[in-house]
Amino acid sequence: MMRIIAGEFRGRALKAPKGEGTRPTTDRVREALMSALSSARGGLEGAVVLDAFAGSGALALEALSRGAACAHLYERDGAALRALSGNVAALGLSAPQVRVHRRDVLKDAPLRMRPPFDVVFLDPPYAYDPASVLGLVAQLAAAGALAADALVVYEHAAASNDAVQAAADARGLALASRKKYGDTVVDILRAAPDAAPARS
């Protein structure tokens, strides 16, 4: 059973989607991820969050529990969407604080988002190409939908480290931190100060 780790909803249970279509972030990894993110950003108060491959919504809901202002959650899988919507309802959350989108974020990115996103969570299926996943970040930046000091949290397989690094370099993203938890790696990325204009 997953639970919210800290903040307003601490201890509240979250449902995970059934089946093999999603891979929920474990409580241990989520706790470490949030700690690293809070340290890098100075907390999550007031953040505008994008959970691009939301699954159960655990990452965005944890951020909201810790003071984020609002979150947009994208999920295209029906079973995951049902779990996600149930978790949002169980916490008593609704628009405009939370907006759930049943869409493929890579095909229909929220490029018109204003104010722009301060935090982007990327926890796609491990088979996804890092170039496509980080291409989303480049699209958001080019469209003005990403804050200048935004942080991008990318959870991926350890075997993809080199591919993620190459994709980040090509899109003007600098690696702020990298932590390994078994076969899972969590990267925190930010726009490199001397980056060329982002390209998708």
Side-chain angles (χ1 to χ4, degrees), residues 165-173 197-199:
Q165 186 68 65
D169 290 345
R171 287 155 183 82
L173 296 169
R199 60 183 193 270

Side-chain angles (χ1 to χ4, degrees), residues 105-107 109 111 129-143 166-173 196-200:
V105 73
L106 296 181
K107 294 180 179 177
L111 302 180
D129 179 10
S132 296
V133 174
L134 291 180
L136 167 65
V137 178
Q139 285 184 307
L140 294 173
D169 290 345
R171 287 155 183 82
L173 296 169
R199 60 183 193 270
S200 60

Side-chain angles (χ1 to χ4, degrees), residues 32-48:
L33 180 162
M34 289 293 169
S35 176
L37 178 59
S38 294
S39 177
R41 193 178 181 272
L44 285 162
E45 289 292 330
V48 178

Side-chain angles (χ1 to χ4, degrees), residues 92-112:
L93 296 168
S94 60
Q97 192 174 16
V98 175
R99 295 188 186 277
V100 176
H101 307 269
R102 185 175 187 172
R103 298 179 197 160
D104 183 338
V105 73
L106 296 181
K107 294 180 179 177
D108 190 11
L111 302 180
R112 299 178 185 272

Side-chain angles (χ1 to χ4, degrees), residues 19 30 32-33 73 85 87 113 118 128 132 136 145 148 157 162 169 185:
R30 188 157 30 93
L33 180 162
L73 298 89
S85 298
N87 288 334
M113 181 64 191
D118 300 300
Y128 276 41
S132 296
L136 167 65
D162 290 346
D169 290 345
V185 169

Side-chain angles (χ1 to χ4, degrees), residues 51-69:
D51 195 347
F53 305 90
S56 68
L59 292 174
L61 296 176
E62 185 75 42
L64 288 167
S65 182
R66 294 170 186 242

Side-chain angles (χ1 to χ4, degrees), residues 154-170:
Y154 188 179
E155 184 176 335
H156 59 85
S160 299
N161 281 353
D162 290 346
V164 171
Q165 186 68 65
D169 290 345

